[in-house]
Amino acid sequence: MPIPVRKPRIPWSTPLLAGLVALLAVLLAPPGAAHAAQDPAGARPPGGSRPVYSYDRAIRETVWVDTGLDGDGDGRADRVAADVIRPREAAEQGRRVPVIMDASPYYSCCGRGNESQRKTYDAQGNPLQFPLYYDNYFVPRGYAVLLTDLTGTNRSDGCTDIGGPSDVQSAKAVVDWLNGRARGYASRTGTGRVGAGWSTGAVGMIGKSYDGTVANAVAATGVKGLKTIVPIGAISSWYDYYFAKGAALFGSGPDGLAAGVESPGARDRCRAVQRRLAEGAPRTGDWTSLWSERDYLDGARKVRASVFAVHGKQDLNVRTKHLGQWWDALAEQGVERKIWLSTAGHVDPFDFRRESWVPTLHRWFDHYLLGYDNGIEREPMADVERAPGQWTTDRVWPPRGTRAATLRPAPGPVPGAGTLGTRPAPYGSTAAFTDDPGRSESDWAATVDRPTPDKVAFTTGPLAHDLRLAGSSSVRLTVTPQAASAHLSAVLVDLGPATIRDYAARGEGIRTLTERTCWGDGTPADTGCFQRTEPAAVSTDHTVFSRGWADLGHYAGLAHGRPLTPGTAYGITLDLAATDHVVPAGHRLALIVAGTDAGLLEPASTTPRLTVDLRRSAVRLPLVGGDDALARATADAGRPQARPTAPLTPYGPRPAGPTLLP
């Protein structure tokens, strides 16, 4: 499919000529093409919907939708502002259109996309600029684009509650309105009703970060009419955004985020909501009812929509743990899914693979919202970036034949620099480190073969064959602290030369250029032209590709953290972020265990010395080929395994001494 970058446009200083060109596009389109864009049962142009509608003449309007909630306690139901742009010609012909919706709290405070675009309005309050390219590209192709302000943000009533019932209802109510189940109004306070008879009722939600999170949450309600979602770098459980098994991740709590996104007028009226957010999310890391309300995983059983998930494997903002657990929950329900995994950080696919992304998204929406049988659901499920700009595909993901395999740490010739293999360590083997909150995973990886007091590291020998991990790993540790509190980090490292996206830099793996390309059509207020990007690459001899953290005081569960008894052994499992990474032949695989991961994890109240019982610790890896692939790669097949004499736990025998293993 040719790259849909239009030729230089007629200057918008000649609006009459531009309008004539748009009119000719409709008149000269193949018979039935304009109608097909709205009518899945009618004749369709081959291949997919085409840009046969004018963008400059599109209807632009705002509808205030009743959420049925009174989050700000002012005695009346909150209304959310839904800014709509839709083809005028379709309305004139009585043709209905499907809707692409992005519900967000960021349209006035922070902006959307790589250029932080905000909504703009004319003097009468009518929308002028719709951030991002969705309107420019899809409205001429027979879609409506609807951008919803979540409660408490921009022009909406109510209070934002950071992924809670109000946020979710903000967007769900709009889906209901589009399907005739909720009330819409022509103004924020008036009584004039507005219907959505122009809509087919078919809705696709899309968005990055918070926006994609709302798409996940609305899909988890099972609302009728939501046909597909495209969550990009999205959260699946808000607890896991702020904490990692009890350990607080850097940043403010949900009350701080609420204060950052709320409109100025909401800040006074929403103080009670902010207080509830702060009280319900203590920085102790304990699970509370607030987190239960904001955990969408259980709702996977209600999902009716197909899901096209996109995530950066090096996203340190919304970590891929969110993707992995959401993907697995959807798989259990048999939800139709597609996935793109990049090597960038928290970056939109429009900015890391634009020329492939837009036509792929176009075909996805054509299929699920317009009913085109274009085969996209039968194509390979996964696109995975291996190196900057280099992609592979998989028929399903994780690939068939992916099975859990176990690697075990063992002492090496030098304390603190051990080995990683399939045989358990001898009984009594230990390795110790002292938490240093000033050291990070990059510091640890750079000194993986050199003992340092802040970490212990374990490495395989050079691999005989490639070793591919696809999915979520975990590390089971038995640890004895010498203080009443302790944080733990575990990271997987690919030791060998590579060129990777510079995900730790400001652009998180992309470099923004000055040149622009245009996607769809535009007006002076909303050009549809965006700055190009290119991969920002860096050469390295070690790549951290998965990580996880925990507060040892939550060894017994998330409900309550407990003070530790110095000198007592505790067992805990660290969940490592999902990934798809190939450790090439000749490289080594490393597991590093340490304390606070500087810049990502907040320190514990103490900086203890911790001793790891190696016999009772192990890492579980989702390997393509399972144990057989591991044996080939580590050349360990056929070696006799040590026979433990104590009863086995999933990761080795229980310690004989005092322990609080769950």
Side-chain angles (χ1 to χ4, degrees):
M1 179 178 294
I3 298 172
V5 180
R6 66 175 178 272
K7 297 178 180 178
R9 196 163 42 231
I10 297 172
W12 286 109
S13 58
T14 57
L16 177 59
L17 183 57
L20 289 173
V21 171
L23 179 61
L24 284 172
V26 176
L27 295 176
L28 298 178
H35 294 186
Q38 308 82 348
D39 186 1
R44 299 178 181 86
S49 59
R50 297 178 181 176
V52 297
Y53 296 117
S54 61
Y55 178 80
D56 62 322
R57 294 189 65 243
I59 297 170
R60 294 164 173 83
E61 60 189 338
T62 303
V63 178
W64 275 264
V65 177
D66 188 333
T67 67
L69 302 177
D70 182 12
D72 52 16
D74 65 355
R76 67 182 186 88
D78 302 328
R79 295 181 184 180
V80 293
D83 291 317
V84 181
I85 179 170
R86 54 191 176 93
R88 183 175 299 275
E89 295 90 348
E92 292 171 346
Q93 298 162 6
R95 301 287 178 173
R96 298 190 298 163
V97 297
V99 176
I100 297 169
M101 178 166 70
D102 187 339
S104 177
Y106 294 137
Y107 286 128
S108 64
C109 74
C110 316
R112 305 309 298 130
N114 194 36
E115 299 176 44
S116 300
Q117 290 185 325
R118 292 171 172 82
K119 288 182 177 179
T120 63
Y121 304 89
D122 65 18
Q124 290 72 45
N126 300 311
L128 290 177
Q129 175 168 276
F130 287 73
L132 304 176
Y133 60 94
Y134 307 138
D135 57 314
N136 309 93
Y137 187 84
F138 284 104
V139 169
R141 288 168 169 79
Y143 293 82
V145 170
L146 189 155
L147 305 186
T148 302
D149 299 326
L150 296 186
T151 48
T153 70
N154 201 20
R155 301 200 293 173
S156 289
D157 297 335
C159 303
T160 184
D161 62 356
I162 311 302
S166 184
D167 272 5
V168 179
Q169 184 63 13
S170 295
K172 179 180 179 294
V174 176
V175 177
D176 285 332
W177 171 70
L178 290 166
N179 284 274
R181 299 187 298 266
R183 294 180 179 180
Y185 296 87
S187 67
R188 189 169 185 171
T189 58
T191 58
R193 294 278 294 275
V194 176
W198 50 264
S199 168
T200 64
V203 182
M205 291 187 67
I206 188 171
K208 176 192 166 192
S209 197
Y210 202 135
D211 307 14
T213 302
V214 174
N216 282 344
V218 175
T221 70
V223 62
K224 294 181 180 179
L226 183 60
K227 300 300 184 182
T228 190
I229 63 171
V230 185
I232 301 165
I235 294 168
S236 56
S237 171
W238 280 91
Y239 176 89
D240 293 318
Y241 183 72
Y242 288 104
F243 299 99
K245 193 157 283 187
L249 297 160
F250 259 113
S252 63
D255 56 314
L257 179 54
V261 302
E262 282 176 338
S263 59
R267 286 168 190 162
D268 289 334
R269 70 174 187 261
C270 295
R271 293 190 188 279
V273 174
Q274 287 199 27
R275 185 168 57 253
R276 288 195 295 271
L277 288 173
E279 293 171 352
R283 297 300 281 172
T284 60
D286 291 349
W287 185 278
T288 65
S289 59
L290 180 141
W291 301 123
S292 296
E293 284 185 326
R294 291 157 177 79
D295 184 351
Y296 312 130
L297 297 173
D298 185 57
R301 58 189 170 82
K302 301 179 185 177
V303 172
R304 304 166 180 258
S306 62
V307 179
F308 188 173
V310 182
H311 222 107
K313 291 183 284 183
Q314 295 289 10
D315 190 339
L316 298 180
N317 181 347
V318 180
R319 295 153 295 279
T320 53
K321 182 178 193 296
H322 294 275
L323 170 75
Q325 60 194 12
W326 182 236
W327 185 263
D328 292 344
L330 295 173
E332 291 178 2
Q333 305 303 319
V335 173
E336 288 191 0
R337 292 158 296 136
K338 187 174 180 65
I339 188 170
W340 274 23
L341 289 169
S342 79
T343 57
H346 199 55
V347 180
D348 194 289
F350 187 73
D351 295 315
F352 65 67
R353 201 187 183 194
R354 186 174 302 179
E355 287 75 15
S356 296
W357 169 248
V358 175
T360 302
L361 183 65
H362 178 193
R363 295 178 63 237
W364 184 265
F365 281 146
D366 269 4
H367 177 68
Y368 287 103
L369 298 182
L370 285 173
Y372 278 94
D373 184 12
N374 55 22
I376 195 166
E377 81 284 9
R378 299 186 293 274
E379 293 175 359
M381 178 184 288
D383 279 31
V384 182
E385 189 178 30
R386 297 295 169 201
Q390 299 177 20
W391 293 77
T392 62
T393 63
D394 287 282
R395 176 58 54 185
V396 297
W397 195 87
R400 291 188 178 90
T402 302
R403 296 181 294 274
T406 301
L407 279 171
R408 302 175 185 274
V414 179
T419 63
L420 193 62
T422 57
R423 290 178 292 180
Y427 287 105
S429 300
T430 62
F433 63 91
T434 300
D435 188 2
D436 183 348
R439 302 276 286 177
S440 70
E441 60 185 43
S442 59
D443 299 319
W444 307 330
T447 58
V448 67
D449 292 319
R450 188 171 75 247
T452 58
D454 56 296
K455 58 102 173 67
V456 290
F458 309 93
T459 64
T460 67
L463 299 181
H465 298 276
D466 291 355
L467 197 62
R468 180 181 177 187
L469 295 82
S472 302
S473 304
S474 62
V475 178
R476 176 69 175 178
L477 297 174
T478 300
V479 181
T480 302
Q482 296 303 321
S485 66
H487 283 174
L488 292 167
S489 299
V491 301
L492 296 176
V493 189
D494 179 342
L495 298 174
T499 298
I500 64 172
R501 286 187 185 263
D502 192 3
Y503 65 88
R506 181 181 179 86
E508 300 190 50
I510 64 167
R511 181 179 297 106
T512 303
L513 308 175
T514 57
E515 179 188 354
R516 292 179 177 271
T517 57
C518 302
W519 296 80
D521 215 332
T523 65
D526 193 334
T527 65
C529 301
F530 301 86
Q531 290 176 276
R532 288 185 57 244
T533 65
E534 65 181 10
V538 63
S539 296
T540 183
D541 59 4
H542 58 267
T543 304
V544 177
F545 63 88
S546 186
R547 68 275 288 167
W549 311 276
D551 168 52
L552 189 55
H554 285 79
Y555 66 90
L558 296 181
H560 298 289
R562 307 178 185 186
L564 304 173
T565 302
T568 298
Y570 297 87
I572 194 166
T573 299
L574 281 67
D575 301 318
L576 273 58
T579 191
D580 190 321
H581 183 84
V582 175
V583 184
H587 288 205
R588 294 179 296 151
L589 173 64
L591 167 68
I592 300 176
V593 178
T596 302
D597 194 343
L600 296 174
L601 199 65
E602 292 186 358
S605 59
T606 60
T607 53
R609 183 169 178 79
L610 298 107
T611 301
V612 182
D613 186 331
L614 301 184
R615 178 76 184 192
R616 297 171 178 88
S617 299
V619 55
R620 299 273 284 181
L621 306 175
L623 298 183
V624 178
D627 287 328
D628 292 340
L630 178 61
R632 288 193 300 271
T634 59
D636 204 25
R639 293 186 182 179
Q641 303 292 306
R643 290 176 175 259
T645 57
L648 286 175
T649 70
Y651 289 95
R654 291 186 179 272
T659 183
L660 295 176
L661 281 170

